[in-house]
Amino acid sequence: NSERRLKDLGYFKTVTVDTEPGTGSDQARIVVKVEEQSTGEIGLAGGYSTLDGPLASIRLIERNFMGTGRVLHSDLSIAKKRQDFDIGVVEPYFLGRNMTGNASVFSSKSSRFDAFTQQATGIRTGIGYRLSEHWSQGFNYTIMQEKISAARANRSRYISLGTSITSALTHSISYDRRDAARNTTSGYIIGMSNTYAGLGGNVQYLKNVLNAGWYYPVADEVILNIRGEVGDMERVGKKIRTVDKFSLGAQSFRGFEYGGIGPRDAATKDPLGGTRFWTQTNELVFPLGLPSEFGIKGAVFSDIGSLWRVGEKIPDTTVYDENKMRASLGCGISWDSPFGPISIDYSRAVKKQKYDNTQTILFGFSTRI
């Protein structure tokens, strides 16, 4: 447990724990050897992703500010379809207790859906703590102002436009029995989150998500990962906005475009999001015969799931909305390079609906100097 906790800190390149004979036959001396690594990062990044297009970013982060364990971070990302700015701090011993506190200010603009543009500016703050060795719990509060504007005239009439204030509280709890939070090779994790929007503002909904993941070492450096997620969203006010609903595709469901699965306007073909979903992934990760320090791995995977229930009373003839399973098969390569992560996935949708939008190649690349 001590070795796992030290590795999860991210302060050390290597951690080795050995035992030596103690002063008595029933005692042992624990010897911990660590190799420190830089906890600060100043970088420029540039690249391309199939989700956001050409991108560039500036990132400043210190994960152990003056040896206190505080994390200071500032991120600016500019891409063709998304722009983000975030600056914040994480305090590992909030109020002098074994409790993590965080606060950040953010601003974002997204045009991932071609029917509308979403702009948001706000503040996030929260706390997290351990209930026991494996149980963790957290609460986060977000308040933000959003502006939804039309990107084209012939958009779906079910997409709400205008400016709104969202005030939301999120509760999360997890049971973690993985051997490590990073580069997991065995164990499992189960988590749940609940978000209530309506503590002020004019956006209201209740969103619940349950997820789980299991890791099993099939052979040396060959890891089987099975994970699943299910979510439900309920109206609290008159309606749920499209931007607040669940969306599936791209990284969340390979083989389909971002928002390529789920309820869709029959006339304009615009995705409307859904209020219920489930996904299940089987993935086998394996080395490609290269030295492990290169950080290059291959994977084969399958994704299945569904997204449905648009969440408001709409005539069936104007919206496609069916609870039917979709499935995809694929393979991929990932490289944890010195310049940043590079990944490429090739997948084919083997079960889909006629109104779904598919995507064969999912590519992500970034470089840092």
Side-chain angles (χ1 to χ4, degrees), residues 286-298 333-337:
F286 50 85
L288 295 176
L290 300 171
S292 59
E293 56 267 24
F294 283 14
I296 300 177
K297 297 180 180 179
I333 296 176
S334 63
W335 178 26
D336 189 12
S337 77

